[in-house]
């Protein structure tokens, strides 16, 4: 139990000392991507190998007083380079092994002992045809600035001593030496903007809540990362949960809240487990609870699991959900900072925003402002996915260009295909084209291009992607997730989806495009909350930048990428057809006719374009034409 | 069999009671209670919904309203294996729909139903499970499978089917 700041400093020093004493570690990434490709088994095999050779050292032993030798295997949070998972990193050398399997355990342990890397497991750059030994030298990592993700992938996330050894809770120690006002001022000075989408200055929210008198104030961490294509917050919570707890402690102290909630998606069970465990650890050390470190400040944390509603990422809907009601937004003002949860002043910050707080308090606002661009200081994490060579989790300074992110870090478009677009900001964001590649990624530049940084999901699309289908996909998502409270969003998204459906099925007209624009602007202006206000963005931005592609669908009745089923045509290539009648039997609408051993014919009027004929043909005689 | 069902009922009532004691007789306890039931039964049986309403002094309509608002809750029993096909953006552009169709075909789901008649499989799409780098992703009772192809799904499902061939729900 820690009773004073002095106690905390002593424990931290001891943890650091112990951790430095045992530097031989094998860090196996157990993040979402690597787990899906078998990281757990890899971890088990390495652990078993160490045990077999009597070299096994556990994390617990690392922090014991008795000196012990050996190698510590770690199951860490996301190391970032998900494309090449399962990943294994050796410490202290920093050697990174990619696409590791359970058969590699022996070779990996050998290499740590001998210092000679296993060359077949090193990352091989496909364009440069050279392999890299050290993680830090790989282009994917070299160009990043990992600040909030610094510990993610290098510490054991389920042991608070690991975090303390890495300078954890030092921001909190610094905060406690100041008045709450000075803490809020430091965050205001840093100009940290909300990483959840809007980019509203976090310090402003804090100072409004701090300046409102109330018997009870609340702090909520919005961990309802619902944007499809985003996994930054998940990785942070799973890989470095104490960073979030520390950020919340500081925020609670600054605004005068004694109770904090973490609202996590139910789809993230591991994040929930890790946070629960971290809260227990912090409680047992006295970093959460009453009179923390003798400061007189009390703070407790509770976890609320979401129940699967995207709209609950909106502040007032999230509050309704915690209160046990249907997650429907309320008109603002009053803003939550004035009257929020149970009608008390409430600050809601996103995971990444709070994860930046410990460093701001530890290193100062001036340090933070030296990162990124002047109007958007700091770094931003992005979840890079889609048709890009190096999918994964990255953190870059704000203001880095899209080109650097997609090409230098992301390794370019998969299989050397042509770049078509990136979708950024999820269902609230927009599509950017090749002409935007030199756009700096920050809040204001993206807003002016009709997109938004959103939470940071970034999906790369190549020429084989149909932009109209993507717009329909997002509209389908927002339509399903619209809570139904206000008419523009409820009805508008439905009508827009119907029109888009019509277009991808090949029944669209040019007037439909005008209608999309008209309804889209009405939904944007008239909706109650951010979900509705931004729902038309994917459609309006693609109509602006890819109008030709929409026109091909409605005028020429063709889908240039050949994706839209309703616009494809199946024909039989007569010289290849053996007249076996298989296709005719498979056709659910009897659109195919012919005589045995003679070429068959598809009646285009009857055909429903299901493709069953193509699937069954043994002679590749059925061809699909765009 | 009867015995175990009754035990399960007693057990869940006990757990619901504990939640009320821990968080108070307050509407904010409603969602955690529904989650407890959903976890135990894989759906929300009607009699338990009424029980929850009484326990929290809420109208059954309020409870029903919340139960139908959130995607996590189901009023119909789900299958022994719940297969969730991620249809987030990354999975969508990397081909989640052909995978979904292959699964429906494989477990013989027709007419837009979500659960097979024998109660073995429920197949649904979810918006994002946050494993985008491994797209397309499928989860089966929470276990994550990455980079799934329509062919791979046959192997996965055959393994499941051989593991337990009856629905014990």
């Amino acid at each position: 139990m820690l009773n004073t700041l002095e106690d905390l400093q002593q424990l931290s020093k001891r943890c650091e000392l112990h951790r430095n004493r045992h530097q031989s570690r094998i860090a196996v990434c157990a993040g979402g991507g690597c787990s899906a490709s078998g990281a757990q088994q890899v971890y088990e095999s390495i652990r078993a190998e160490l045990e077999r050779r009597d070299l096994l050292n556990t994390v617990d032993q690392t922090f014991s007083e008795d000196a012990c030798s050996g190698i510590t295997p770690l199951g860490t949070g996301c190391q970032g380079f998900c494309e090449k998972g399962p990943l294994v990193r050796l410490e202290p050398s920093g050697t990174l092994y990619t696409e590791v399997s359970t058969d590699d355990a022996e070779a990996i342990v050998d290499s740590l002992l001998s210092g000679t890397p296993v060359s077949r497991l090193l990352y091989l750059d496909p364009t440069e045809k050279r392999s890299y030994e050290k993680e830090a030298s790989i282009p994917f990592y070299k160009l990043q600035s990992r600040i909030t993700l610094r510990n993610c992938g290098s510490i054991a996330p389920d042991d608070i001593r690991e975090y303390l050894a890495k300078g954890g809770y030092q921001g909190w120690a610094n905060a406690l030496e100041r008045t709450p006002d000075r803490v809020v001022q430091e965050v205001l000075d840093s100009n940290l903007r909300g990483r959840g989408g809007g980019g509203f200055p976090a310090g402003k929210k804090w100072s409004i809540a701090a300046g409102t008198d109330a018997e009870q104030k609340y702090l909520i961490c919005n961990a309802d990362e619902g944007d499809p294509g985003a996994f930054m917050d998940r990785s942070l919570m799973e890989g470095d949960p104490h960073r979030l707890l520390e950020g919340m402690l500081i925020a609670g102290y600054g605004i005068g809240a004694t109770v904090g909630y973490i609202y996590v998606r139910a789809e993230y069970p591991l994040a929930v487990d890790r946070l629960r465990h971290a809260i227990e650890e912090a409680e047992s050390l006295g970093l959460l609870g009453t009179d923390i470190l003798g400061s007189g400040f009390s703070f407790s944390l509770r976890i609320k699991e979401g129940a699967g509603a995207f709209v609950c990422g909106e502040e007032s809907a999230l509050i309704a959900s915690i209160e046990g009601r249907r997650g429907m937004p309320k008109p603002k003002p009053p803003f939550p900072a004035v009257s929020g949860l149970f009608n008390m002043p409430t600050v809601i910050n996103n995971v990444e925003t709070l994860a930046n707080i410990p460093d701001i308090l530890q290193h100062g606002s001036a340090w933070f402002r030296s990162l990124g661009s002047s109007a958007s200081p700091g770094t931003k994490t992005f979840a890079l996915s889609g048709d890009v060579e190096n999918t994964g989790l990255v953190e870059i300074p704000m203001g880095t260009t899209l080109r650097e992110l997609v090409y230098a870090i992301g390794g370019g478009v998969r299989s050397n295909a042509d770049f078509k677009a990136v979708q950024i900001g999820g269902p609230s964001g927009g599509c950017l084209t090749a002409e935007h590649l030199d756009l700096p990624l920050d809040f204001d530049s993206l807003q002016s291009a009709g997109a938004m940084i959103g939470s940071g999901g970034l999906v790369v699309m190549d020429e084989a992607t149909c932009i109209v289908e993507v717009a329909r996909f997002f509209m389908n998502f927002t339509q399903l997730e619209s809570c139904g409270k206000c008419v523009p969003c409820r009805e508008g998204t439905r009508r827009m989806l119907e029109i888009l459906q019509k277009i991808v099925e090949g029944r669209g007209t040019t007037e439909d495009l005008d209608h999309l624009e008209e309804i889209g602007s009405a939904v944007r202006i008239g909706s109650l909350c951010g979900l509705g206000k931004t729902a038309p963005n994917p459609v309006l931005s693609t109509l602006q930048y890819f109008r030709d592609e929409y026109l091909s669908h409605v005028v020429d009745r063709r889908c240039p990428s050949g994706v839209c089923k309703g616009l494809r045509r199946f024909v039989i290539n007569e010289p290849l057809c053996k007249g076996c009648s298989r296709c005719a039997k498979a056709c659910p609408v009897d659109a195919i006719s012919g005589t045995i051993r003679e070429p068959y014919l598809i009646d285009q009027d009857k055909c429903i374009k299901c493709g069953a004929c193509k699937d069954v043909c043994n002679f590749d005689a059925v061809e699909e034409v765009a | 069999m009867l015995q175990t069902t009754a035990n399960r009922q007693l057990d869940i009532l006990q757990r619901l009671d504990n939640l009320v004691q821990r968080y108070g007789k307050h509407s904010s306890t409603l969602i955690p209670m529904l989650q407890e039931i959903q976890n135990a039964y894989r759906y929300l049986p009607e009699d338990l919904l009424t029980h929850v309403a009484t326990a929290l002094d809420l109208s059954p309509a309020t409870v029903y309203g919340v139960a139908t608002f959130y995607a996590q809750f189901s009023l119909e029993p789900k299958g022994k294996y719940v297969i969730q096909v991620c249809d987030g953006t990354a999975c969508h552009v990397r081909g989640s729909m052909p995978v979904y169709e292959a699964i429906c075909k494989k477990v013989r789901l027709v007419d837009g139903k979500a659960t097979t008649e024998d109660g073995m499989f429920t197949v649904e799409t979810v918006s994002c499970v946050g494993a985008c780098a491994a797209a397309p992703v499928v989860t089966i009772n929470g276990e994550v499978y990455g980079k799934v192809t329509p062919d791979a799904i046959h192997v996965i499902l055959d393994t499941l089917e051989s593991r337990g061939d009856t629905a014990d729900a």
Side-chain angles (χ1 to χ4, degrees):
Chain A
M1 192 75 174
L2 306 171
N3 295 313
T4 60
L5 254 180
E6 187 62 21
D7 288 352
L8 171 67
Q9 300 300 24
Q10 278 179 7
L11 177 65
S12 298
K13 280 216 180 71
R14 210 161 57 233
C15 291
E16 194 183 339
L17 205 74
H18 286 169
R19 200 181 198 266
N20 289 342
R21 206 175 51 184
H22 300 290
Q23 291 197 328
S24 288
R25 292 160 164 259
I26 301 181
V28 181
C29 176
C34 288
S35 294
S37 39
Q40 184 60 35
Q41 291 85 327
V42 169
Y43 172 79
E44 298 295 342
S45 68
I46 288 175
R47 201 192 140 92
E49 178 65 21
L50 289 171
E51 206 160 15
R52 190 178 69 82
R53 299 206 204 176
D54 209 14
L55 285 170
L56 180 65
N57 184 35
T58 62
V59 174
D60 214 35
Q61 282 168 326
T62 301
F63 294 106
S64 68
E65 290 300 329
D66 328 318
C68 53
S69 56
I71 299 169
T72 317
L74 291 180
T76 71
C78 181
Q79 296 180 3
F81 204 2
C82 313
E83 179 68 33
K84 296 290 173 192
L87 302 172
V88 171
R89 196 183 53 237
L90 305 186
E91 284 180 12
S93 70
T95 304
L96 183 77
Y97 292 139
T98 56
E99 298 177 327
V100 175
S101 80
T102 47
D103 301 334
D104 300 322
E106 194 179 345
I108 289 173
V109 174
D110 280 343
S111 80
L112 194 142
L113 294 172
S114 69
T116 318
V118 188
S119 49
R120 68 184 159 86
L121 293 175
L122 297 176
Y123 168 66
L124 180 77
D125 188 301
T127 42
E128 291 178 39
K129 303 262 181 293
R130 58 162 286 199
S131 61
Y132 291 86
E133 185 196 333
K134 311 278 185 210
E135 179 189 87
S137 62
I138 297 174
F140 176 81
Y141 287 102
K142 207 174 157 189
L143 300 158
Q144 297 189 43
S145 314
R146 291 168 91 88
I147 308 279
T148 60
L149 296 176
R150 186 191 302 131
N151 295 333
C152 195
S154 69
I155 64 170
D158 52 4
D159 197 315
I160 190 171
R161 293 170 295 187
E162 287 269 295
Y163 184 62
L164 289 171
K166 288 277 195 170
Y169 289 102
Q170 288 305 309
W172 171 231
N174 282 1
L176 269 188
E177 285 172 343
R178 306 175 200 199
T179 61
D181 287 354
R182 297 279 308 137
V183 170
V184 174
Q185 191 59 44
E186 193 73 50
V187 176
L188 264 174
D189 291 345
S190 75
N191 196 19
L192 168 69
R193 298 172 67 174
R195 299 313 200 230
F200 189 80
K204 270 200 186 140
K205 272 190 192 173
W206 290 23
S207 58
I208 296 170
T212 310
D213 270 329
E215 53 189 85
Q216 177 72 58
K217 293 178 193 174
Y218 294 103
L219 171 73
I220 299 175
C221 168
N222 184 348
D224 192 46
E225 187 179 50
D227 282 12
F231 53 92
M232 300 79 54
D233 294 347
R234 169 191 175 150
S235 306
L236 234 158
M237 289 184 284
E238 288 179 3
D240 196 8
H242 281 288
R243 174 175 291 271
L244 176 59
L245 264 48
E246 186 183 354
M248 291 190 76
L249 257 176
I250 297 167
Y253 178 71
I255 62 172
T258 52
V259 179
Y261 286 93
I262 307 176
Y263 187 89
V264 200
R265 295 179 78 197
E267 288 87 342
Y268 289 174
L270 182 60
V272 173
D273 286 351
R274 290 267 161 84
L275 288 169
R276 276 219 172 97
H277 180 75
I279 290 172
E280 279 167 22
E281 283 184 312
E283 280 171 348
S284 68
L285 277 183
L287 286 167
L288 283 175
T290 47
D291 190 19
I292 298 166
L293 303 181
S295 64
F297 173 67
S298 302
F299 192 66
S300 64
L301 270 180
R302 295 174 195 167
I303 292 179
K304 277 279 173 184
E305 281 181 67
F310 176 69
V311 68
C312 290
E314 199 278 339
E315 296 189 334
S316 58
L318 190 154
I319 288 172
S321 178
I322 294 183
E323 290 174 353
R325 291 181 284 118
R326 289 164 72 91
M328 288 177 160
K330 277 199 309 201
K332 294 182 205 169
F335 287 95
V338 177
S339 172
L341 186 63
F342 307 120
N343 300 320
M344 294 296 167
T346 305
V347 165
I348 304 179
N349 286 142
N350 142 284
V351 174
E352 190 182 341
T353 312
L354 288 163
N356 271 296
I357 300 291
D359 276 295
I360 291 174
L361 264 293
Q362 194 181 349
H363 306 297
S365 53
W367 165 83
F368 187 76
R369 280 201 317 275
S370 72
L371 306 162
S373 60
S374 60
S376 305
T379 57
K380 178 79 193 85
T381 56
F382 285 95
L384 198 55
S385 64
D387 300 314
V388 62
E389 281 289 345
N390 304 331
T391 56
L393 178 70
V394 302
E395 182 172 355
I396 49 175
M398 287 273 191
T400 304
T401 63
L402 190 55
R403 187 185 303 279
E404 284 172 277
L405 179 56
V406 174
Y407 285 91
I409 296 172
V413 182
R414 191 175 285 266
S415 322
N416 277 324
D418 282 334
F419 174 86
K420 184 167 190 174
V422 296
Q423 208 287 337
I424 183 166
S428 317
C431 284
L432 298 174
T433 66
E435 68 177 275
H436 297 110
L437 277 171
D438 292 308
L439 195 72
L441 291 165
D442 60 48
F443 290 107
D444 310 306
S445 317
L446 282 170
Q447 197 110 46
S448 62
M452 67 189 276
I453 222 161
S455 52
L458 200 144
V459 185
V460 178
M461 299 174 198
D462 68 10
E463 279 298 334
T465 314
C466 172
I467 238 49
V468 185
E469 215 293 312
V470 168
R472 186 209 62 83
F473 165 79
F474 280 113
M475 198 40 80
N476 184 47
F477 178 84
T478 35
Q479 191 273 315
L480 279 171
E481 295 293 347
S482 170
C483 77
K485 180 168 181 168
C486 73
V487 179
C489 176
R490 182 181 69 224
E491 294 303 321
T493 54
R494 188 167 278 271
R495 298 288 91 86
M496 287 180 81
L497 176 62
E498 278 170 7
I499 294 174
L500 288 162
Q501 194 68 40
K502 226 175 107 184
I503 296 174
V504 301
E505 282 171 7
R507 298 179 288 115
T509 61
T510 44
E511 289 81 64
D512 283 334
L513 305 189
D514 302 334
H515 286 151
L516 278 178
E517 274 169 342
E518 199 184 334
I519 304 173
S521 75
V523 173
R524 189 183 258 180
I525 299 165
S527 295
L528 179 60
C529 81
L531 187 148
K533 280 186 206 297
T534 57
N537 283 357
V539 181
L540 296 178
S541 75
T542 49
L543 266 171
Q544 185 181 351
Y545 299 124
F546 295 93
R547 202 174 183 91
D548 286 351
E549 199 164 327
Y550 277 88
L551 286 171
S552 314
H553 282 72
V554 297
V555 179
D556 309 334
R557 300 264 174 240
R558 55 180 284 274
C559 171
S561 0
V563 171
C564 296
K565 282 185 181 175
L567 287 163
R568 52 186 190 173
R569 254 164 27 102
F570 290 93
V571 291
I572 289 175
N573 184 341
E574 293 193 3
L576 292 177
C577 181
K578 306 270 189 253
C580 72
S581 84
R582 239 188 127 169
C583 56
K585 285 187 191 122
C587 180
V589 291
D590 292 329
I592 308 177
S593 56
T595 322
I596 290 284
R597 288 196 199 86
E598 276 175 39
Y600 274 60
L601 187 72
I602 302 177
D603 182 343
Q604 296 299 335
D605 292 336
K606 279 192 190 168
C607 174
I608 56 163
K609 305 165 203 297
C610 68
C613 47
K614 187 169 191 266
D615 291 345
V616 298
C617 180
N618 287 331
F619 311 101
D620 292 329
V622 181
E623 285 175 358
E624 188 182 328
V625 288
Chain B
M1 189 72 185
L2 257 177
Q3 187 61 33
T4 55
T5 315
N7 280 347
R8 195 160 71 154
Q9 180 93 4
L10 274 179
D11 183 47
I12 187 80
L13 291 178
Q14 185 61 51
R15 273 187 283 163
L16 294 178
D17 258 8
N18 291 345
L19 284 175
V20 179
Q21 267 167 25
R22 202 156 111 219
Y23 299 120
K25 195 171 184 168
H26 190 278
S27 65
S28 61
T29 315
L30 173 57
I31 292 175
M33 287 174 90
L34 297 182
Q35 283 169 330
E36 193 75 46
I37 304 172
Q38 177 76 39
N39 285 343
Y41 286 85
R42 302 201 294 269
Y43 81 111
L44 305 176
E46 199 180 320
D47 53 341
L48 284 177
L49 286 183
T50 322
H51 174 86
V52 168
T54 316
L56 294 178
D57 249 343
L58 295 169
S59 74
T62 306
V63 174
Y64 183 78
V66 171
T68 50
F69 185 83
Y70 296 97
Q72 194 191 6
F73 302 130
S74 164
L75 298 178
E76 303 276 317
K78 287 197 179 185
K80 183 177 175 189
Y81 294 108
V82 178
I83 306 177
Q84 296 186 317
V85 182
C86 179
D87 195 29
T89 325
C91 290
H92 189 78
V93 304
R94 299 263 291 257
S96 57
M97 277 301 104
V99 170
Y100 174 74
E101 284 157 18
I103 296 173
C104 289
K105 207 167 162 183
K106 170 84 183 163
V107 303
R108 292 178 293 276
L109 263 179
V110 281
D111 303 332
K113 285 209 180 73
T115 304
T116 52
E117 296 209 338
D118 59 2
M120 274 288 278
F121 297 103
T122 294
V123 185
E124 51 195 25
T125 58
V126 288
S127 37
C128 187
V129 298
C132 315
V137 175
V138 168
T139 72
I140 303 178
N141 287 357
E143 200 176 325
V144 183
Y145 297 83
K147 297 184 181 168
V148 177
T149 60
D151 289 333
I153 210 70
H154 287 273
V155 182
I156 298 169
L157 290 180
D158 285 340
T159 322
L160 283 185
E161 249 168 320
S162 61
R163 225 192 275 171
D165 50 348
T166 52
D168 63 2

